[in-house]
């Protein structure tokens, strides 16, 4: 990819993205192409990060561990569902992921939690996500009893229309009441510390040779 | 009526079958014959006899044949017997507890004896009967008192109170009039409330007893329980748990002895159970949730203040087993959770449902990953955390430990959730203490370093709630908390910051507000005030004062006001220009803020420059206008306080008069709480130093309420009232009113007040009264013993009292007759004794008093004899001109006696007084002239002294005149 094209791409992405400035977009592009590898080899195929590479980033850089959630985060980034994160999906995804407003993050998190994508987070989905959240006590008869109870607690707290599943409206209302519920069913956003580290690292390195 | 058949026909005479039929009929129709005949009261007492009689009858029947009916009969009788036995037993138990009898009292006292002795761990120092003789009925009271139902008298010496003489009677236990020293007789009169039993009374009377008892209570109860023989019919299950419990308890008691630091641990461990005990009690009586809570609340109070509710002692006894049960729970839980507390869940099924839900949530907190933890925290936050049941439930299921633990993780969400809960429940004093015990404060202080503002805010707010007692203040300081909190105040507007606000951020102003809140809580301790100052808190507070947010201003001003009690703070406040902002905020719309500002001004206005500043910044007008709103008493007290302190400066008084503050203050003299009265009267006292002020007070009818307040008992109020009345008395017209209201007599009687400042203030106030009263001499004489009282006050060792009394004597002695009485009471030697003082104020008034007293009889000579002259001459060396003037007058009076002249001359009076001649004070020269003049004449007569020298002086004196 030549310099001119890169410049153009940067400009267009910067225009569409409100949370990053031009310099930051440039840094992210650099990072993206570093991760993907040499661009010229990818001429014909769609250029992007595949699921495994992306999950690796999530795991190493942002300390995420939950397989299912990481899958869902990948889905969240991969807007066109082609199993590959393109450069614009990368920048847009990170914009919400790192700097999104509460509204954007709510939308993003809800999509992550809505496992089957039907617009609702059902009881089963919640159970699925919370399955491993409690220490299993071997003494208990039903090891999932605690989890079931947790599911009930969350539904009681968040299901405002009492239909046994969470709509986005339910979720939004609950989060506005209590921000802690944003990542109610699993961490799908970077924790503040790793976010800071990531930003510091990515937005500084190229800075040195660029500005000087 | 059927029983009549039964009695006259002995069974052996009746045919077998008829008897059985009759007997069966009897039992079926009339199940309790004796009770029917003799009344219910005899039911219980005769039960046993009846039982045996029936059995003997049965035995007789068995001698005959017919085994079948015999067995039937036997079973019926046995069942009946068992039934009665159970009833009897429970009745006995109940009756024991409802009324005291010699047996129970004896048991109580014997048990208490075991817990008494020297040392801190015991409940009492000693407990003894007054009489060793015990009557056959178990009473120790003399027979004529036994008729009144009294059982015995005990002398109890608690650790923290005088020996109590207590009557134990059938109605209950109460304090009597005590043992008279000389004859050893007991004053049987009841002196206090009747308590249910000895323990309840002692809990009420002695804090140490109740404290130590709460530690030993279980043991006490256990023993009490053993003392009564275990009822056989207790359900097996309960007996089993009881056994388990007592072994568990013994085990923990053993630990207490062995482990050296076990004591604090032990008490900690016992705490929850003591608390839940009351709930258990409640459960026995009432089942509704509401009642349970109320009872529980009552129970809480009892922890700090011993019980007054009569039912409680019984309940404790009754539920002793259950308490132990719970103890076994808490101790096993804190050990290693070895057995799942299944049986407990059964027995505690009636605890409020919140308890169980919270317990469940705490379990998830303990055993969940961060997602589960966050959910559990959010859910817990939805409980009504202001409710005590929930607060204590969190504590009792070990939730506090987990919450504090979460603070130490680096999981922001969990920290936020945990702090949100801690912030709410820390309104409860018990929880606060527990948080501090668990080391919660250092954890929160660490969070203050976090980059997340909302986290900082929450932590600071929680600290503000927790740091309400000494140990917490110290903990905050020791862990460097003051510096961190002061750093939170450092608030500058970062425009860049505002644009990029992430999820957990809050406004900078919010951080400063929370920091100030925490500092406000902490600033109640002296060392913390110092620490705040050293950490550079004052300039930061001053800067925050410039904001316009009331929510921030209140804690900021609150902190300043708290700290302004320190001298160096006041200086700094003046230097930082804080007064201006305080004045500005007086006009804010927030009552609390106004109150804090007024308090701060009140504290700072001790300093004259500050008072001027308040005036120059226009602070007096808002203060004066706030006087008209009398609904908020706390604010009113603060405002009147500020006005009082400000009115010490004369210019301020002029301004205040302009703003009609005096009128408003006079209006506050009735129907106000004492703290308002003290300040308002203080302010009036200052205002009345000006003639205009006096006139206003009189015209507004302020004199009467002032005189009425002379009978109050508040020390500060009395000092201010006497001052104000004295100030009013300067004006003859007001004096007439005071005289009319018998105010002088009231003032005079205040000379007997135990507090020296009240005495002094009253004596000062008497001076203008005597000066301005009509027929003052007659009035003074009319106070029986009044003059003697005044003279005796000269024996006081308080300088202010002495000076004021000397001034009063000066005024009293204007009347020759009164002076004669004073002399008779020995005023001369007492005054002479004081002559060696170095205090200028006292010297001045003393000299005046001496000079006045010289005018009677041979007092001049007497002063000379009592060696008052030589020290007086030394007064001329003082730097105070008013002392010189008074001394010169006194010496002039004394110099009419030749011997005194010699003494004066020997002590260099001529030199001293002529040195005064140079001073540009016409009045002084007036007094010094006759003195030197008189001296010269005396010297001429005696032919001693350097004539030439005196002549020269004389010439000079003339010149200077």
């Amino acid at each position: 990819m030549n310099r001119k094209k890169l410049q153009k791409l940067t400009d267009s992405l910067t225009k569409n993205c409100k949370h990053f400035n031009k310099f930051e977009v440039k840094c992210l592009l650099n990072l993206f192409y570093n991760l993907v590898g040499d661009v010229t080899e990818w001429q014909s195929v769609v250029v992007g990060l595949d699921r495994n590479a992306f999950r690796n980033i999530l795991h190493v850089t942002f300390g995420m561990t939950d397989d299912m959630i990481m899958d869902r985060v990948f889905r969240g980034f991969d807007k066109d569902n082609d199993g590959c994160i393109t450069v614009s999906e990368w920048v847009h995804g990170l914009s919400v992921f790192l700097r999104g407003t509460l509204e954007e993050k709510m939308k993003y998190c809800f999509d992550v939690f809505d496992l089957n994508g039907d617009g609702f987070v059902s009881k089963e989905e919640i159970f699925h996500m919370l399955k491993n959240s409690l220490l299993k006590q071997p003494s208990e008869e039903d090891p999932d009893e605690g989890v079931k109870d947790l599911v009930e607690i969350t539904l009681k707290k968040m299901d405002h229309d009492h239909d046994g599943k969470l709509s986005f409206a339910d979720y939004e209302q609950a989060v506005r009441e209590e921000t802690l519920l944003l990542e109610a069913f699993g961490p799908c956003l970077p924790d503040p510390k790793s976010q800071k580290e990531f930003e510091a690292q990515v937005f500084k390195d190229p800075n040195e040779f660029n500005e000087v | 009526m059927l029983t009549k058949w039964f009695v006259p026909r002995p069974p052996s005479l009746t045919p077998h079958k008829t008897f059985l039929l009759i007997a069966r009929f009897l039992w079926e129709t009339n199940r309790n014959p004796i009770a029917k005949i003799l009344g219910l009261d005899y039911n219980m007492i005769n039960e046993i006899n009846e039982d045996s009689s029936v059995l003997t009858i049965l035995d007789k029947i068995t001698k005959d044949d017919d085994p079948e009916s015999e067995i039937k009969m036997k079973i019926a009788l046995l069942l009946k017997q068992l039934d009665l036995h159970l009833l009897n037993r429970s009745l006995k138990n109940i009756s024991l507890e409802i009324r005291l009898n010699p047996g129970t009292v004896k048991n109580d006292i014997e048990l208490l004896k075991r817990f008494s002795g020297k040392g801190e761990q015991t409940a009492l120092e000693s407990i003894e009967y007054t009489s060793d003789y015990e009557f056959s009925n178990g009473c120790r009271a003399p027979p004529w008192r036994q008729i009144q139902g009294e059982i015995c008298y005990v002398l109890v010496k608690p650790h923290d109170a005088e020996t109590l003489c207590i009557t134990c009677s059938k109605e209950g236990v109460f304090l009597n009039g005590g043992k008279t020293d000389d004859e050893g007789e007991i004053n049987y009169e009841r002196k206090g409330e009747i308590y249910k039993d000895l323990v309840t009374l002692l809990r009420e009377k002695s804090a140490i007893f109740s404290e130590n008892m709460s530690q030993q209570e279980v043991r006490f109860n256990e023993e009490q329980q053993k003392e009564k023989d275990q009822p056989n019919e207790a359900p097996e299950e309960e007996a089993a748990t009881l056994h388990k419990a007592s072994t568990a308890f013994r085990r923990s008691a053993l630990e207490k002895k062995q482990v050296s630091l076990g004591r604090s641990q032990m008490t900690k461990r016992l705490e929850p159970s003591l608390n839940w005990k009351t709930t258990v009690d409640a459960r026995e009586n009432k089942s509704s949730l509401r009642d349970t809570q109320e009872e529980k609340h009552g129970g809480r109070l009892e922890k700090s203040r011993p019980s007054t509710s009569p039912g409680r002692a019984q309940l404790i006894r009754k539920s002793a087993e259950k308490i132990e049960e719970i103890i076994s729970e808490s101790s096993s839980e804190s050990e290693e959770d070895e057995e799942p507390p299944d049986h407990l869940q059964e027995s505690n099924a009636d605890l409020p449902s919140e308890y169980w839900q919270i317990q469940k949530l705490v379990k998830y907190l303990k055993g969940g990953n961060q997602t589960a933890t966050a959910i559990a925290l959010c859910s817990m936050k939805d409980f009504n955390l202001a409710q005590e049941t929930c607060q204590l439930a969190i504590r009792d299921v070990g939730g506090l430990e987990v919450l504090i633990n979460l603070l130490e993780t680096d999981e922001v969400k969990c920290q936020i959730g945990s702090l949100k809960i801690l912030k709410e429940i820390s309104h409860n004093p018990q929880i606060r203490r527990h948080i501090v015990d668990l080391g919660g404060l250092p954890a929160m202080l660490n969070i203050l370093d976090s980059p997340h503002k909302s986290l900082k805010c929450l932590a600071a707010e929680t600290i503000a709630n927790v740091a309400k007692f000494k140990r917490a203040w110290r903990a905050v300081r020791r862990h460097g908390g003051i510096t961190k909190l002061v750093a939170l105040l450092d608030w500058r507007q970062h425009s860049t910051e505002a644009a990029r606000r992430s999820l957990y951020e809050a406004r900078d102003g919010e951080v400063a507000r929370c920091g100030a809140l925490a500092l406000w809580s902490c600033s109640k301790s002296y060392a913390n005030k110092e620490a705040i100052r050293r950490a550079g808190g004052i300039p930061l507070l001053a800067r925050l004062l410039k904001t316009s947010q009331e929510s921030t201003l209140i804690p900021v001003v609150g902190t300043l006001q708290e700290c302004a009690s320190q001298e160096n703070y006041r200086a700094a406040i003046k230097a930082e220009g804080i007064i201006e902002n305080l004045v500005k905020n007086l006009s804010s719309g927030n009552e609390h803020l106004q109150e804090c500002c007024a308090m701060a001004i009140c504290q700072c206005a001790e300093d004259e420059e500050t008072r001027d500043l308040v005036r120059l910044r226009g602070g007096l007008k808002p203060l004066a206008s706030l006087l008209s709103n009398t609904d908020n008493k706390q604010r009113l007290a603060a405002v009147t306080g500020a006005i009082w302190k400000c009115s010490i400066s004369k210019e301020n008084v002029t301004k205040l008069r302009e703003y009609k503050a005096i009128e408003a203050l006079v209006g506050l003299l009735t129907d106000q709480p004492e703290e308002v009265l003290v300040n308002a009267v203080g302010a009036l006292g200052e205002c009345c130093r000006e003639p205009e002020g006096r006139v206003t007070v009189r015209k507004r009818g302020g004199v009467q309420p002032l005189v009425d307040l002379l009978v109050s008992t508040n020390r500060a109020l009395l000092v201010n009232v006497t001052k104000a009345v004295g100030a009013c008395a300067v004006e003859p017209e007001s004096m007439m009113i005071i005289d009319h209201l018998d105010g002088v007599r009231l003032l005079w009687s205040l000379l007997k007040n135990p507090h020296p400042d009240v005495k002094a203030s009253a004596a000062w106030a008497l001076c203008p009264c005597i000066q301005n009263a009509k027929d003052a001499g007659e009035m003074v004489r009319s106070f029986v013993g009044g003059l003697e009282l005044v003279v005796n006050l000269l024996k006081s060792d308080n300088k202010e009292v002495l000076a004021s009394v000397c001034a009063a004597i000066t005024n009293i002695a204007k009347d020759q007759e009164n002076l004669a009485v004073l002399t008779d009471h020995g005023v001369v030697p007492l005054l002479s004794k004081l002559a060696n003082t170095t205090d200028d104020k006292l010297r001045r008034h003393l000299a005046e008093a001496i000079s006045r007293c010289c005018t009677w009889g041979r007092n001049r000579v007497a002063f000379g004899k009592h060696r008052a002259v030589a020290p007086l001459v030394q007064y001329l060396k003082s730097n105070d001109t008013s002392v010189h003037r008074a001394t010169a007058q006194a010496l002039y009076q004394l110099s009419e006696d030749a011997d005194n002249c010699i003494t004066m001359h020997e002590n260099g009076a001529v030199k001293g007084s002529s040195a005064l001649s140079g001073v540009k004070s016409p009045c002084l020269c007036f007094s010094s002239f006759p003195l030197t003049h008189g001296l010269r004449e005396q010297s001429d007569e005696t032919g001693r002294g350097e004539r030439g020298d005196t002549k020269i002086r004389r010439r000079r004196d003339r010149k200077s005149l």
Side-chain angles (χ1 to χ4, degrees), chain A residues 99-100 102 105 130 132-135 137 140 145-147 149-150 153-154 156-157 177-187 189 191-193 195-196 199, chain B residues 357 360-361 363-379 381-382 410-414 416-418 420 451-452 500-504:
Chain A
R99 306 231 174 126
L102 186 62
K105 282 181 174 172
L130 294 182
N132 298 318
S133 66
L134 284 179
L135 215 66
Q137 263 152 5
E140 278 175 37
E145 199 191 297
V147 180
D149 193 40
L150 266 185
I153 289 174
T154 45
K156 193 178 139 209
K157 195 163 166 47
E177 276 167 21
E178 176 54 72
T179 333
L180 290 182
L181 289 173
L182 183 65
E183 297 172 78
F185 309 114
L189 288 168
D191 67 282
K193 205 174 140 205
Q195 177 198 346
K196 235 182 179 163
E199 291 193 15
Chain B
Q357 287 164 11
K360 207 169 60 187
L361 289 175
K363 204 174 81 190
Y364 298 150
L365 283 185
K366 280 181 187 163
N369 68 3
Q370 48 161 314
T371 310
T373 306
I375 293 172
L377 286 172
C378 290
S379 171
K381 210 169 63 75
D382 285 346
D410 46 359
E411 197 48 54
V412 181
K413 273 186 288 177
C414 296
I416 289 182
S418 163
K420 276 182 176 170
H452 305 291
R500 276 185 47 200
R501 199 191 302 155
S502 88
L503 221 57
Y504 306 116

Side-chain angles (χ1 to χ4, degrees), chain B residues 643-800:
Chain B
I643 289 187
W644 172 23
K645 297 294 173 186
C646 287
S647 60
I648 296 173
S649 295
K650 278 187 183 174
E651 294 90 337
N652 287 353
V653 174
T654 322
K655 280 278 178 195
L656 285 172
R657 216 170 46 230
E658 219 171 273
Y659 300 135
K660 307 267 178 228
I662 299 181
E663 285 85 340
L665 285 170
V666 170
L668 293 178
L669 289 178
T670 42
D671 298 332
Q672 295 296 338
E674 265 182 359
E675 51 264 40
V676 176
L677 282 176
V678 171
N679 294 339
V681 171
L684 280 177
E686 295 299 335
C687 293
C688 286
R689 286 181 306 161
E690 305 291 304
E692 294 91 336
R694 291 195 281 269
V695 173
T696 320
V697 170
R698 176 168 50 81
K699 283 195 177 151
R700 286 283 165 158
V703 180
Q704 171 152 15
L706 279 176
V707 173
D708 289 346
L709 286 175
L710 282 175
V711 295
S712 84
T713 50
N714 181 312
R715 181 177 167 184
L717 182 56
L718 279 176
V719 171
N720 285 353
V721 169
T722 44
K723 208 169 172 186
V725 170
C728 287
V730 174
E731 192 197 41
E733 278 161 83
S734 299
M735 187 54 224
M736 272 168 62
I737 305 174
I738 295 172
D739 201 10
H740 179 72
L741 295 168
D742 219 4
V744 186
R745 185 188 297 276
L746 292 174
L747 277 176
W748 208 290
S749 55
L750 285 178
L751 293 176
K752 286 185 266 187
N753 194 288
H755 303 297
D757 40 359
V758 178
K759 276 184 203 166
S761 186
W764 287 122
L766 279 174
C767 299
C769 290
I770 298 170
Q771 264 170 14
N772 293 322
K774 250 193 246 167
D775 297 328
E778 191 55 44
M779 178 185 75
V780 170
R781 273 191 295 283
S782 72
F783 303 136
V784 179
L787 290 172
E788 190 179 0
L789 175 66
V790 170
V791 173
N792 282 333
L793 280 179
L794 286 175
K795 292 170 188 160
S796 161
D797 44 11
N798 181 306
K799 293 250 166 60
E800 188 67 20

Side-chain angles (χ1 to χ4, degrees), chain B residues 234-266:
Chain B
E236 258 178 50
E237 191 194 0
E238 210 170 79
T241 52
L242 174 66
H243 178 72
K244 217 185 278 174
S246 54
T247 48
F249 181 77
R250 252 173 246 132
R251 192 172 55 198
S252 53
L254 211 71
E255 274 176 12
K256 186 179 177 183
K257 278 177 196 154
Q258 289 173 345
V259 184
S260 56
L261 66 140
R263 209 180 104 74
S264 61
Q265 266 181 349
M266 232 349 244

